[in-house]
Structures are given as C-alpha cells and as structure tokens.
Amino acid sequence: LDGFVNQVQEARQFAGDAEALTKQVDGDLEKATLSENRLSEEFKRLQAEIKLLEASTSSIPIQKQQIRSKLCDELGITLSRVPFAGELIEVRPEHGEWAGAANRLLGGFATTLLVHEDDYRKIAGWVDRNQLRDKWSYIVVPVAHAGGSDRTDDRSIVRVLDVQTHAYRSWVMAH
C-alpha cells in the first residue's frame, strides 16, 4: 500500500509540474505570438517604405515627406513652395565619388524644410499644433534674398554640387 500511495503522490506532483509547465509554455507562446505580430507589422511597414523609396527620386526619408505632404494639404501650400534643402542639391554626375562626403556634410541641412517668409506663420503654427514624432527643422527664406557670391575656393566641395533651378536657388547657394 505504501508503494501505491507514493506513486499517487508522485503522479500528483508530476501533474502539478505539468500544469505549471503548460502555463509557462502558454505564456511564452502568447509572448512569441505578440512579438511575431509586431515584427510582421514592422516588416510590412519597412516593405512599404522601401517600395516608396524605390519609386521616389528624393533621398529625404519617407516619414519627413509624408509630414510635409500633410502640412501642405492642410495649409493649401504647394509642395514646390516648401522643398527640403536636399531636394535642391545634388552631386554632379561627373563627381559621383564625392556623394558620400557631400551627404555627410549636408547632414541635417538636407532634411531642413525651406519656407517662404510669407508662409512662415502658418507653417510654424501648424508645426506647433501637431505632434510630429520626428525631429523637424525649417528655415525662413527671405523673399528679397540677394543672391550670394558664386566665388568659392576651387578645392571646395561646393564645386562638385549642383543646385536645381528654383526660387530658393540663390539662397541655397549662399548657405
């Protein structure tokens, strides 16, 4: 009888251990499923961003482009009136080897929104009212900006850059 009682106790212990292990495995499975869902959503978001980047000629991060689009839509301003500095600047094709250095030098300036002084108050108000969840910078471009000097040192990296024809061209060249 003692042997039977011991076996029953062992069986109860095993059943209790199995139940605890089952709960732990269920919890781990739930965590793994949540993690898989989160990673799957992140993967889909990244795939969509890659697709948009492949279709885009701009090197500006898609999130910044989306924020600018929303800003322009809500304020009735055309996209061309508020370009990112980096959209106006590119390395001349014959100096392609300088692209990496030029991008590092431009840094945050490339993602700076250039704002016409007539639009500044509207844009500043919009930025203040919206939670952008991103570092956001913009610079006012004066209407009466006198073009800067085209005189630069022949060794300057500016010589390998091309600034697109735009209302802000002379301002960009001066800065």
Side-chain angles (χ1 to χ4, degrees), residues 90-92 95 97-98 101-102 105-106 149-162 172-175:
E90 63 185 12
V91 174
R92 292 183 181 151
H95 298 291
E97 70 274 9
W98 287 97
L105 281 173
L106 286 173
S149 169
D150 284 342
R151 294 174 36 134
T152 55
D153 188 308
D154 287 338
R155 297 170 294 171
S156 172
I157 195 161
V158 173
R159 294 285 186 195
V160 304
L161 300 177
D162 190 24
V172 170
M173 301 242 338
H175 291 84

Side-chain angles (χ1 to χ4, degrees), residues 15 22-24 33 40 54 61 63 73 75 92 94 102 107 109 119 122 124 133 141 146 151 154 166 168 171-173:
T22 300
K23 286 181 182 180
Q24 181 181 349
T33 301
S40 179
E54 288 174 342
Q63 182 180 8
D73 287 346
L75 297 179
R92 292 183 181 151
E94 66 271 19
F109 182 65
D119 298 327
K122 287 193 296 189
R133 292 180 165 64
V141 179
R151 294 174 36 134
D154 287 338
H166 188 278
Y168 304 153
W171 185 90
V172 170
M173 301 242 338

Side-chain angles (χ1 to χ4, degrees), residues 45-135:
R45 185 190 67 74
L46 290 171
Q47 279 184 314
E49 185 171 343
I50 288 168
K51 188 175 182 179
L52 287 171
L53 288 172
E54 288 174 342
S56 175
T57 58
S58 178
S59 62
I60 306 302
I62 197 69
Q63 182 180 8
K64 289 191 180 291
Q65 291 182 51
Q66 290 169 334
I67 291 170
R68 179 188 53 180
S69 291
K70 182 178 178 184
L71 176 148
C72 288
D73 287 346
E74 291 181 13
L75 297 179
I77 299 172
T78 62
L79 286 174
S80 63
R81 190 164 165 109
V82 285
F84 289 103
E87 292 176 327
L88 302 180
I89 304 168
E90 63 185 12
V91 174
R92 292 183 181 151
E94 66 271 19
H95 298 291
E97 70 274 9
W98 287 97
N103 286 334
R104 285 188 295 280
L105 281 173
L106 286 173
F109 182 65
T111 57
T112 298
L113 201 63
L114 304 181
V115 176
H116 191 280
E117 69 181 342
D118 293 344
D119 298 327
Y120 172 74
R121 289 190 192 282
K122 287 193 296 189
I123 290 173
W126 188 90
V127 169
D128 289 344
R129 287 189 307 276
N130 288 272
Q131 292 182 340
L132 303 180
R133 292 180 165 64
D134 192 16
K135 181 181 176 192

